[in-house]
Amino acid sequence: MTDVKNLEDLFQAKIDAEQKIEPKDWMPEKYRKNLIRQISQHAHSEVVGMLPEGNWIGRAPSLRRKAILLAKVQDEAGHGLYLYSAAETLGTSREQTIDDLLSGKAKYSSIFNYPTLSWADIGAVGWLVDGAAIMNQVMLCRTSYGPYARAMVRICKEESFHQRQGYEIMAVLAQGTPEQKEMAQDALNRWWWPSLMMFGPTDANSPHSAESMKWKIKRQSNDELRQTFIDRTVQQAEVIGLSIPDPDLKWNEATQHYDWGAIDWAEFNNVVAGNGPCNKERLTARNKAHDEGAWVREAALAHAAKKAKKKQAA
Amino acid sequence: MSNNPNNWPLWEIFIQSKRGLEHKHVGSLHAADPQMAIENARDVYTRRQEGQSIWVVPAEAISASQPDDAAMLFDPADDKTYRHPTFYTMPEGAKYI
Amino acid sequence: MSQTNALFTYTLRLADDLLILSHRLGEWCGHGPVLEEDIALTNRALDHIGEARNLLTYAGELEGKGRTEDDLAFLRPERQFLNTKLVEQPNGDYAHTIVRSFLFDAYHLPLAEALLKSSDAQLAAIAGKAVKEAQYHLRHSSDWLIRFGDGTEESHQRAQAALDNLWTFTGDLFTQDEVHQAMVKAGVAPDLAKIKAAFDATVDTVLSEATLNRPTDGFMASGGRQGKHGEQLGFILAEMQYLQRAYPGATW
């Protein structure tokens, strides 16, 4: 098997030299599989992520907020689409990828299995969830697989308003009536820990991490990204007068980072295993949209075939 | 790639951002027919004033060079520096050349 | 009714159609039949909400009582909403959604074109932007209606059923009452008979290509323009106005 060994060496040499891998290049089967898994999970997260936020489109409290939220949730659909397209360059059809989501085989970010209970949750999701996602996405703009990196560049450009609109919602609520401030603090309390879980297991417990780092699919570890997120977000919370729900949170002069409390990994594993508050609702909603859209997709194809036939006959 | 006839085909999308510039590949999407592909491209890829003209091409119509051929195809140009204007020494003082 | 009152009412009628339709289209966001179409539909919702905001702001100025776009959207009760019954109809299946938009677009485009020549400079300016959007909307909904009509047997049946169900609500679009007549006289609004002629031509062309039958005019619904709605509107407003009603005076 010296041939494969050579190919693998060449492949790794390319990666080490910061050259992007393109769809037609030879790649180790595990690299391909790892990428398909990661990109499709990412795509599913965008699409499932439309649901908790879409939940408040009809109840947005002003027309300005309503337009912003519509545009934001629409962007998530676009991001899902870019990512499904990137996955397709690896030889997996969108149909197959989506089937895996609908059957429950594929995973998506567990954060979207939490409910949005108040308007402040829309602020918290934008500020914290998009904030955490952006940390990952900025890193992924430099990922080794070309189509994935290109999709991420586009996504990062579009995402830049998402976190800001969420933070703006929180800032306005925090300066509002006592009821509004309470709503904002309650949302922060509920979304803080799940947001930290978004970065995935600790580096010591992350099954795919070492390989992903070697292949430069990932370029920073879960723990590094999580720490940066905490350092930035604590400051932002202070500015708007909200408190982070972590009694152990403390600035550490020596490390120049915040120390913080323990994540409840049992909760994380439970939600990943399908027992989160909204796992069932999310999958049911996606399946319903897919099933009820079947006749629409068929009709469009049937009409396109008829039109092509007519054109040929003419 | 799946060629399941029950799926909408894949299209590659090219957008011209300004008159006078080239159409650039921006990504792909699914559509049942060319008209739908153009409309979808408008909604997916030009929401932020990115374009003023759209080309759509069925993905299966694109032929691509093989990475293995890259050396044979592209390296021979490496030593033909005389194709570049900087290759030439101009007498000092000569203008507009 | 004074001229200003009539203009205020007329502007609200224009605004409410777009506001309510955008609300309905927003319900699809995240639930569309295919990702590409989800995005397309949200673009329509955004166009409509943008035009509605311009019109509501203008209506507030005309009224002169300091009401903002949000006051008008979130603090009016059912009986003061002046949209047609067509736009408040539930989304139903995708055929109903497309047919509802198609019937509205076939009316909205010639209306926006006519308003370009309105004697009211502000309405003319708002129409200037709306025309381009409405052209695209009509193309989008026509294309889909043709795909459904001339697609599969199932899609054909669904499209015909949607047409038959929704046709009665087009009556509201072309009802000319005293307010409207005053606006026509002042050169603000077009004669709806002219808009109807354009609407008929579009409907006939598209339905013929879609191999669908134009329903015959039977009982035609009306009353929306006078604030007499179906039962659905109350639920739309209960959802839409919830936060503003629950926390009076709060800023968001």
Side-chain angles (χ1 to χ4, degrees):
Chain A
M1 292 309 284
T2 49
D3 278 358
V4 172
K5 182 82 189 82
N6 276 342
L7 285 169
E8 254 176 29
D9 288 346
L10 280 172
F11 174 82
Q12 190 62 47
K14 249 191 228 170
I15 300 246
D16 293 341
E18 295 292 335
Q19 283 192 31
K20 296 286 181 220
I21 305 302
E22 293 294 339
K24 284 175 176 289
D25 290 339
W26 185 90
M27 58 187 86
E29 212 33 47
K30 275 184 82 179
Y31 176 84
R32 181 188 302 274
K33 283 215 174 108
N34 193 331
L35 266 177
I36 290 177
R37 183 186 54 82
Q38 185 175 331
I39 299 174
S40 45
Q41 272 184 20
H42 195 162
H44 298 329
S45 301
E46 298 282 354
V47 172
V48 176
M50 297 171 76
L51 299 171
E53 290 186 281
N55 183 34
W56 280 88
I57 290 173
R59 290 176 287 172
S62 72
L63 295 179
R64 174 176 178 267
R65 292 281 176 218
K66 190 165 173 160
I68 292 170
L69 186 56
L70 272 167
K72 180 190 187 276
V73 181
Q74 179 192 45
D75 272 353
E76 312 297 0
H79 299 170
L81 194 151
Y82 307 153
L83 289 162
Y84 284 127
S85 299
E88 282 189 272
T89 64
L90 291 160
T92 167
S93 71
R94 191 199 293 183
E95 172 97 333
Q96 181 56 50
T97 314
I98 288 183
D99 281 350
D100 287 347
L101 169 70
L102 299 178
S103 70
K105 189 177 149 201
K107 299 267 179 266
Y108 55 86
S109 181
S110 281
I111 193 89
F112 300 118
N113 290 319
Y114 289 87
T116 47
L117 299 178
S118 77
W119 170 251
D121 288 32
I122 298 307
V125 168
W127 176 33
L128 303 174
V129 176
D130 286 296
I134 288 167
M135 306 274 324
N136 246 308
Q137 287 165 342
V138 167
M139 166 190 78
L140 288 170
C141 289
R142 296 187 302 124
T143 193
S144 60
Y145 187 57
Y148 193 20
R150 290 193 285 277
M152 290 318 306
V153 168
R154 181 170 281 277
I155 289 172
C156 281
K157 247 190 237 163
E158 299 188 353
E159 282 274 347
S160 54
F161 95 79
H162 293 186
Q163 191 188 12
R164 296 180 73 137
Q165 65 86 35
Y167 188 54
E168 188 189 77
I169 289 175
M170 292 301 259
V172 169
L173 291 176
Q175 289 153 22
T177 64
E179 281 164 312
Q180 284 179 305
K181 182 160 187 188
E182 193 187 319
M183 198 188 278
Q185 184 62 54
D186 173 59
L188 173 56
N189 293 350
R190 281 181 291 108
W191 289 92
W192 174 253
W193 291 105
S195 299
L196 297 190
M197 295 176 198
M198 280 179 74
F199 294 95
T202 56
D203 295 348
N205 290 316
S206 183
H208 302 287
S209 272
E211 210 153 49
S212 291
M213 296 284 274
K214 183 182 98 181
W215 284 331
K216 297 190 180 174
I217 295 175
K218 286 177 66 158
R219 314 197 52 135
Q220 279 169 290
S221 77
N222 294 353
D223 288 336
E224 280 170 0
L225 290 169
R226 188 164 18 233
Q227 185 66 53
T228 313
F229 173 75
I230 292 170
D231 292 346
R232 288 180 188 177
T233 311
V234 170
Q235 191 270 341
Q236 292 162 3
E238 271 166 17
V239 169
I240 57 175
L242 295 178
S243 41
I244 303 285
D246 178 357
D248 298 324
L249 189 82
K250 220 176 81 198
W251 178 252
N252 184 327
E253 261 314 313
T255 60
Q256 289 292 298
H257 290 295
Y258 280 95
D259 293 336
W260 43 283
I263 290 177
D264 180 358
W265 291 110
E267 175 183 329
F268 175 77
N269 291 329
N270 214 9
V271 179
V272 171
N275 303 318
C278 297
N279 296 53
K280 281 212 182 78
E281 284 92 330
R282 302 298 183 234
L283 268 196
T284 305
R286 285 317 308 159
N287 271 290
K288 184 166 180 277
H290 187 78
D291 295 347
E292 289 178 358
W295 72 267
V296 176
R297 299 189 296 274
E298 276 163 31
L301 269 186
H303 179 72
K306 281 185 193 177
K307 233 164 73 174
K309 212 170 176 185
K310 260 186 219 157
K311 204 173 161 192
Q312 222 169 23
Chain B
M1 199 71 44
S2 124
N3 285 317
N4 184 342
N6 295 322
N7 296 339
W8 288 3
L10 188 68
W11 302 76
E12 297 300 333
I13 311 302
F14 299 80
I15 305 271
Q16 184 184 40
S17 59
K18 257 206 254 172
R19 297 183 73 87
L21 296 181
E22 72 279 44
H23 284 70
K24 251 177 94 175
H25 184 245
V26 294
S28 50
L29 50 74
H30 290 266
D33 57 58
Q35 180 63 31
M36 194 201 284
I38 290 173
E39 291 178 15
N40 288 347
R42 176 255 192 196
D43 289 324
V44 172
Y45 289 107
T46 69
R47 294 198 305 283
R48 289 173 170 81
Q49 301 147 302
E50 292 98 332
Q52 72 94 41
S53 167
I54 297 171
W55 289 350
V56 300
V57 180
E60 61 173 24
I62 291 182
S63 308
S65 64
Q66 292 301 320
D68 287 352
D69 293 344
M72 165 179 90
L73 290 174
F74 310 115
D75 289 358
D78 288 354
D79 65 353
K80 302 189 174 59
T81 48
Y82 43 78
R83 287 191 174 118
H84 300 280
T86 46
F87 178 78
Y88 301 92
T89 315
M90 290 293 104
E92 204 152 312
K95 285 180 180 170
Y96 307 116
I97 181 158
Chain C
M1 188 179 266
S2 76
Q3 185 73 10
T4 314
N5 275 345
L7 184 55
F8 171 66
T9 302
Y10 181 65
T11 306
L12 275 186
R13 288 176 178 181
L14 295 174
D16 287 346
D17 275 351
L18 295 154
L19 180 65
I20 299 302
L21 186 55
S22 73
H23 182 92
R24 280 294 191 213
L25 293 176
E27 293 173 6
W28 273 107
C29 188
H31 307 273
V34 65
L35 219 37
E36 283 83 350
E37 192 56 17
D38 210 304
I39 296 171
L41 217 56
T42 306
N43 260 355
R44 297 182 64 116
L46 283 167
D47 286 346
H48 292 332
I49 208 172
E51 195 186 347
R53 291 180 67 184
N54 289 334
L55 289 163
L56 286 172
T57 301
Y58 182 46
E61 287 164 15
L62 286 168
E63 191 192 33
K65 291 183 187 162
R67 284 206 279 182
T68 64
E69 57 173 23
D70 287 336
D71 294 333
L72 288 168
F74 296 99
L75 298 174
R76 271 182 300 153
E78 289 90 329
R79 290 282 281 112
Q80 289 175 22
F81 269 78
L82 305 178
N83 56 283
T84 61
K85 287 180 174 173
L86 176 69
V87 294
E88 70 197 43
Q89 297 308 307
N91 285 339
D93 65 3
Y94 207 60
H96 274 79
T97 291
I98 288 294
V99 167
R100 185 185 60 200
S101 272
F102 169 71
L103 295 173
F104 181 76
D105 299 341
Y107 151 85
H108 185 218
L109 177 58
L111 176 67
E113 283 169 344
L115 284 171
L116 288 175
K117 287 174 254 142
S118 171
S119 62
D120 187 276
Q122 190 60 30
L123 287 185
I126 294 172
K129 186 166 170 291
V131 163
K132 290 181 234 166
E133 294 171 351
Q135 282 169 343
Y136 188 76
H137 299 158
L138 180 59
R139 181 199 280 193
H140 175 261
S141 57
S142 304
D143 282 354
W144 272 104
L145 192 53
I146 291 165
R147 284 187 194 109
F148 288 164
D150 190 22
T152 63
E153 201 175 311
E154 179 182 1
S155 67
H156 180 89
Q157 279 171 7
R158 283 176 182 269
Q160 189 63 56
L163 263 177
D164 294 344
N165 285 338
L166 293 170
W167 188 254
T168 177
F169 299 109
T170 60
D172 233 2
L173 294 171
F174 304 108
T175 315
Q176 311 209 64
D177 63 354
E178 213 174 88
V179 172
H180 196 88
Q181 276 157 3
M183 289 294 97
V184 175
K185 216 170 140 199
V188 172
D191 186 337
L192 286 175
K194 284 189 190 141
I195 306 301
K196 177 84 159 61
F199 170 88
D200 283 338
T202 304
V203 167
D204 289 342
T205 311
V206 173
L207 292 193
S208 132
E209 200 180 337
T211 69
L212 292 164
N213 296 321
R214 179 182 170 130
T216 44
D217 286 5
F219 169 77
M220 299 305 268
S222 64
R225 296 295 188 213
Q226 285 74 40
K228 292 177 194 156
H229 297 277
E231 291 177 346
Q232 295 94 348
L233 184 72
F235 290 96
I236 293 178
L237 298 186
E239 182 184 359
M240 190 168 89
Q241 301 181 337
Y242 152 63
L243 281 168
Q244 292 263 358
R245 299 284 192 188
Y247 303 93
T251 309
W252 303 92

